């Protein structure tokens, strides 16, 4: 009935009786006169209107509207919200310019946050969280964005888990992954671990997961063969010594999935073993439920609901670094390893095969021009934040070479629809236009990267966000099939970098590995191929009036749902949490 009430509120003022007729109202509602009478009767019985249908010649019916348009929108919004039709609810207030309506904001502030509810006679602690994107890729191997990986890490588990404080792998699904020579690795699984569908995790599932990743070339796993000893132990024989193997298997992309799912055609989302199981996934809602049989520490939360919410609404959470929501807001900061960058293609098919042209543009690009400082970005000289903080000499400007310049082909990384590096590409385009050069921009998704990429562009504009283990993120980036970093190198350059990677993998010492990695970065820079642009700083201000509690961010600025607990030991059923952030 709400859409009909809205039409009435647009046509008639509140609290004033107006003469009208069934025909006029049927035209307004765009329905039959018979159904119009039914609508008016129901609205009258609900107390929304007073409808006086006069009988007799010359007497027109009269209608009195009891509610204003704003009141109707507020009630309609709440009704849609309670039905879980979040997208329709937000579209409604957007159409009527009511994003900042006080009553609607208060309603949603109470709807989000931590709640203690009773469902089917069972008490549940539920955390509701607003997020502007709920479209996910939940096959771990094909997870693309930080948002995908964030949910993968809550739903799935890897063999080992990288501990950022210890800076080393620790047991997870596997009790141990060990070796004597760096070539033959024995994996010993935990017993009693189950997938979310109740089936046990076995060595066959591990073998299937690793084989699947190697065949898809999504991770660098140079395996020769695998041998199953029993249901809980297997041996992996590598093609060459690699002491990074335990850190490779920490990757969320190598989260263990069931062999039967792979053999069945890999349809849908596979069952995981993680602390939360996926209960629902739509365009507007992601619902997670705590996995009661989780082998590790069960989350305190029983349920997480991530609701698609426009960026205009923050409800006590602000990611802006320009101003605080209020004077007593608590600031949480996370600097992300990784950076946005520009690659200059040094292959013969590109104008930047010309060394003078390449060095000219490399020095002409000023990283500061690409930084959104109001969003916490700052200039980068490395993928690693601490390395960027080292002072580097200022590059001297070079004259533009006097050569025939073609249209510069710029490829732009597209992570997913509506998430890309087009802004940075436009900055580069303006720089080239300033020097009288023409450009052609092309968005490319990860699926469009191939072995021939090196012949299809002159510049590539993109970015990479490293995970908890920055080194393994860097290795995966450099060794992925058809990756742009290697495609920008001529053949001799690729051979050199691959040689450095082999040296790194063969080292037992972490300090030595870091030195080899820094040499790889330095080689790209010395050849004027890889120009770093910006690091991203995640800054979260939590208002003292916020409905969010015990907020902790992961390496990529995402909220860790496993860390959230209720602040007070007891709370009335149905009462929302109102404790301040500790």
């Amino acid at each position: 009935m709400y859409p009909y009430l809205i039409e009435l509120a647009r046509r008639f003022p509140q609290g004033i009786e107006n003469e009208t007729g069934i025909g006029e109202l049927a035209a307004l509602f765009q329905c039959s006169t018979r159904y119009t009478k039914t609508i008016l009767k129901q609205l009258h019985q609900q107390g929304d209107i007073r409808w006086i249908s006069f009988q007799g010649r010359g007497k027109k019916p009269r209608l009195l509207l009891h509610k204003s348009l704003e009141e109707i929108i507020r009630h309609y919004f709440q009704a849609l919200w309670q039905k879980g039709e979040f997208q329709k609810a937000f579209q409604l207030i957007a159409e009527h310019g009511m994003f900042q309506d006080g009553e609607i904001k208060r309603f949603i502030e109470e709807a989000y946050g931590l709640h203690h509810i009773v469902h089917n006679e069972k008490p549940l602690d539920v955390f509701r969280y607003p997020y502007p994107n709920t479209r996910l890729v939940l096959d771990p191997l094909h997870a693309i964005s930080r948002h995908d990986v964030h949910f993968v890490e809550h739903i799935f588990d890897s063999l080992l888990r990288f501990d950022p404080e210890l800076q080393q792998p620790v047991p997870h699904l596997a009790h141990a992954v060990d070796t004597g020579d760096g070539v033959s690795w024995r994996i010993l699984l935990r017993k009693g671990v189950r997938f979310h569908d109740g089936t046990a995790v076995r060595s066959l599932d591990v073998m299937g997961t690793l084989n699947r990743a190697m065949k898809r070339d999504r991770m660098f796993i140079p395996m020769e063969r695998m041998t199953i000893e029993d249901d809980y132990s297997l041996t992996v024989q590598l093609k060459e010594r690699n002491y990074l193997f335990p850190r490779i298997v920490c990757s969320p992309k190598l989260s263990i999935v069931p062999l039967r799912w792979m053999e069945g055609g890999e349809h849908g989302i596979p069952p995981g073993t993680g602390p939360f199981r996926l209960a629902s996934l739509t365009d507007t809602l992601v619902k997670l439920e705590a996995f009661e049989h989780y082998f590790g520490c069960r989350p305190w939360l029983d349920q997480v609901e991530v609701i698609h919410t426009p960026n205009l609404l923050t409800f006590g959470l602000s990611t802006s670094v320009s101003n605080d929501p209020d004077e007593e807001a608590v600031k949480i900061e996370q600097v992300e390893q990784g950076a946005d960058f520009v690659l200059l293609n040094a292959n013969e098919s590109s104008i930047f095969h010309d060394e003078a042209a390449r060095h000219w543009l490399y020095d002409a690009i000023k990283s500061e021009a690409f930084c959104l400082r109001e969003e916490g970005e700052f200039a980068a000289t490395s993928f690693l934040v601490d390395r960027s903080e080292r002072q580097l000499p200022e590059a001297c400007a070079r004259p533009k070479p006097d050569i025939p310049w073609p249209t510069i082909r710029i490829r732009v990384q597209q992570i997913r629809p509506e998430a890309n590096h087009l802004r940075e590409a436009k900055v580069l385009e303006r720089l080239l236009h300033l020097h009288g050069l023409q450009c052609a921009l092309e968005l490319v998704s990860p699926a469009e990267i191939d072995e021939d990429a090196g012949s299809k562009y002159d510049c590539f504009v993109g970015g990479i966000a490293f995970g908890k283990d920055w080194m393994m993120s860097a290795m995966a980036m450099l060794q992925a099939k058809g990756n742009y970093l290697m495609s920008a190198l001529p053949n001799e350059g690729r051979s050199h970098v691959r040689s450095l990677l082999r040296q790194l993998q063969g080292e037992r010492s972490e300090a030595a590995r870091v030195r080899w990695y820094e040499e790889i970065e330095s080689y790209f820079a010395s050849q004027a191929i890889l120009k770093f642009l910006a690091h991203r700083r995640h800054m979260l201000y939590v208002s003292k009036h916020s409905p969010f509690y015990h907020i902790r961010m992961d390496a990529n600025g995402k909220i860790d749902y496993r860390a959230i607990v209720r602040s007070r030991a007891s709370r009335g059923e149905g009462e929302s949490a109102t404790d301040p952030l500790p």
Side-chain angles (χ1 to χ4, degrees):
M1 292 291 114
Y2 285 106
Y4 301 114
L5 266 178
I6 290 173
E7 292 302 324
L8 290 176
R10 285 172 171 165
R11 173 69 177 80
F12 302 105
Q14 176 194 6
I16 300 174
E17 281 193 1
N18 292 272
E19 287 189 350
T20 184
I22 293 295
E24 180 184 351
L25 296 177
L28 185 67
F29 295 158
Q30 297 183 1
C31 63
S32 67
T33 55
R34 181 175 181 181
Y35 187 57
T36 298
K37 292 176 182 178
T38 302
I39 293 169
L40 294 171
K41 181 179 180 181
Q42 186 170 335
L43 292 177
H44 180 85
Q45 290 173 345
Q46 291 173 181
D48 295 315
I49 66 171
R50 185 171 72 195
W51 173 246
I52 304 170
S53 178
F54 289 106
Q55 303 296 323
R57 184 176 298 177
K59 293 185 177 180
K60 293 189 70 175
R62 301 180 71 84
L63 182 144
L64 185 145
L65 187 64
H66 291 306
K67 294 184 175 71
S68 68
L69 178 61
E70 289 74 16
E71 289 177 289
I72 294 166
I73 298 298
R74 291 180 192 123
H75 284 100
Y76 191 16
F77 177 87
Q78 293 183 30
L80 290 170
W81 185 278
Q82 299 295 350
K83 290 164 61 178
E85 295 182 14
F86 308 112
Q87 191 169 8
K88 285 185 179 179
F90 288 125
Q91 285 175 347
L92 175 71
I93 59 174
E95 289 170 4
H96 293 86
M98 291 181 65
F99 270 117
Q100 300 305 317
D101 181 79
E103 288 190 31
I104 287 177
K105 290 192 75 171
R106 279 192 294 274
F107 170 80
I108 305 178
E109 285 174 7
E110 293 173 1
Y112 285 128
L114 191 60
H115 295 261
H116 187 71
I117 67 171
V118 176
H119 180 68
N120 292 336
E121 300 183 356
K122 181 181 178 181
L124 298 174
D125 288 292
V126 179
F127 180 67
R128 298 190 181 103
Y129 178 60
Y131 201 80
N133 178 29
T134 51
R135 297 176 182 175
L136 299 173
V137 176
L138 290 181
D139 177 345
L141 187 60
H142 297 289
I144 298 171
S145 68
R146 289 167 291 179
H147 196 46
D148 296 337
V149 171
H150 166 64
F151 282 93
V152 164
E153 290 184 318
H154 281 88
I155 298 170
F156 299 88
D157 285 311
S158 51
L159 290 170
L160 300 176
R161 180 179 59 82
F162 188 79
D163 189 315
E165 294 183 4
L166 298 174
Q167 281 293 297
Q168 65 182 30
V170 295
H172 204 44
L173 286 183
H175 273 294
V177 176
D178 53 39
T179 185
D181 58 6
V183 177
S184 180
W185 291 86
R186 185 168 184 265
I187 300 172
L188 187 66
L189 296 177
R190 294 182 185 274
K191 295 180 179 179
V193 178
R194 297 193 172 274
F195 290 107
H196 294 159
D197 63 2
T199 57
V201 177
R202 299 283 192 261
S203 296
L204 281 169
D205 301 305
V206 175
M207 177 185 283
T209 299
L210 297 181
N211 268 328
R212 176 175 178 248
M214 185 175 66
K215 291 175 182 175
R216 302 289 175 85
D217 288 315
R218 302 301 291 230
M219 284 292 295
F220 182 70
I221 311 172
M223 295 185 296
E224 186 70 42
R225 63 181 177 274
M226 282 185 279
T227 307
I228 290 181
E229 299 173 14
D230 56 40
D231 280 348
Y232 300 103
S233 59
L234 66 156
T235 301
V236 177
Q237 191 80 13
L238 303 182
K239 291 182 178 179
E240 57 187 20
R241 184 171 68 249
N242 190 340
Y243 287 106
L244 289 175
F245 183 73
R247 290 166 72 162
I248 292 174
V249 299
C250 289
S251 170
K253 286 181 174 288
L254 293 182
S255 297
I256 305 304
V257 296
L259 177 64
R260 67 190 175 284
W261 176 78
M262 292 177 265
E263 292 178 335
E266 302 184 5
H267 300 300
I269 299 168
T273 63
F276 290 95
R277 73 171 191 87
L278 182 67
S280 178
L281 176 61
T282 69
D283 285 344
T284 58
L285 175 69
V286 183
K287 183 185 290 187
L288 306 180
E289 293 178 350
F291 183 37
E292 296 293 342
H293 304 292
Y294 186 54
F295 73 91
C297 181
R298 181 202 185 278
W300 179 81
L301 289 176
D302 299 298
Q303 193 167 291
V304 174
E305 295 177 2
V306 182
I307 300 170
H308 181 278
T309 307
N311 276 318
L312 288 171
L313 305 174
T314 58
F315 311 110
L317 286 177
S318 173
T319 55
S320 169
V321 297
S322 58
N323 61 315
D324 299 9
D326 58 61
E327 293 180 356
E328 298 181 36
V330 176
K331 182 175 75 173
I332 306 170
E333 181 174 329
Q334 177 74 51
V335 180
E336 184 176 272
Q337 296 282 31
D340 297 335
F341 59 87
V342 173
L343 286 171
L344 303 183
N345 189 354
N347 285 283
E348 291 183 3
S349 60
S350 169
I351 181 63
F352 296 114
H353 178 66
D354 184 305
E355 189 172 344
R358 193 166 72 248
H359 279 273
W360 162 74
L361 182 56
Y362 188 90
D363 292 342
I365 295 172
K366 303 303 180 186
S367 300
E368 292 80 3
F370 292 80
C371 296
L372 292 176
R373 296 193 178 278
E374 67 276 11
E375 295 186 13
E377 294 183 353
F378 57 100
T381 58
S382 166
F383 284 122
L384 307 181
V385 174
D386 59 343
R387 195 163 185 253
S388 284
E389 291 171 350
R390 306 173 195 174
Q391 293 296 319
L392 294 177
E394 186 73 20
C396 298
R398 304 171 187 242
K400 187 181 74 171
D402 185 15
I403 58 175
W405 286 88
T407 297
I408 307 300
R409 300 166 298 168
I410 302 176
R411 280 197 156 191
V412 185
Q413 181 183 19
Q414 177 166 279
I415 303 165
R416 61 179 182 275
E418 300 177 1
N420 55 55
H421 287 272
L422 193 57
R423 180 192 66 83
E424 295 89 341
K426 291 288 188 181
V427 177
L428 178 61
E429 182 183 47
R430 287 195 294 273
L431 171 64
L432 292 168
H433 283 173
L434 187 64
H435 290 276
L437 301 178
Q438 297 303 308
C439 309
L441 273 58
E442 177 192 9
L443 280 174
V444 289
S445 68
E448 296 174 277
I449 299 175
D450 54 44
E451 297 291 353
D452 298 325
S455 65
K456 298 176 180 177
Y457 71 99
D458 299 303
C459 301
F460 176 79
V461 183
I464 183 72
F466 289 169
K468 288 177 285 190
D469 186 348
W470 67 262
M471 182 170 287
M472 290 319 305
S473 294
M475 296 292 286
M477 170 186 68
L478 289 165
Q479 294 174 322
K481 181 179 179 181
N483 74 83
Y484 276 98
L485 280 145
M486 296 297 276
S487 77
L489 293 169
N491 289 333
E492 63 271 19
R494 290 176 216 172
S495 298
H496 179 64
V497 171
R498 285 169 183 152
S499 173
L500 296 177
L501 288 169
R502 284 194 294 273
Q503 297 280 356
L504 187 157
Q505 291 164 177
E507 290 283 358
R508 285 181 177 269
S509 162
E510 180 69 4
R513 292 176 191 148
V514 172
R515 286 195 297 272
W516 284 115
Y517 172 76
E518 290 185 346
E519 186 166 337
I520 291 170
E521 268 197 9
S522 297
Y523 177 75
F524 275 97
S526 69
Q527 299 300 306
I529 288 173
L530 173 59
K531 182 75 175 188
F532 295 102
L533 301 179
H535 290 297
R536 184 174 290 111
R537 177 188 287 114
H538 298 283
M539 297 181 71
L540 193 68
Y541 291 100
V542 184
S543 166
K544 66 178 181 180
H545 304 297
S546 171
F548 302 98
Y549 315 94
H550 296 281
I551 299 299
R552 183 183 300 167
M553 290 195 292
D554 64 15
N556 291 321
K558 305 296 183 184
I559 291 178
D560 186 350
Y561 309 131
R562 290 162 292 195
I564 297 172
V565 296
R566 190 168 62 205
S567 296
R568 269 185 279 169
S570 61
R571 195 181 309 281
E573 291 182 358
E575 181 184 350
S576 299
T578 54
D579 300 328
L581 186 77

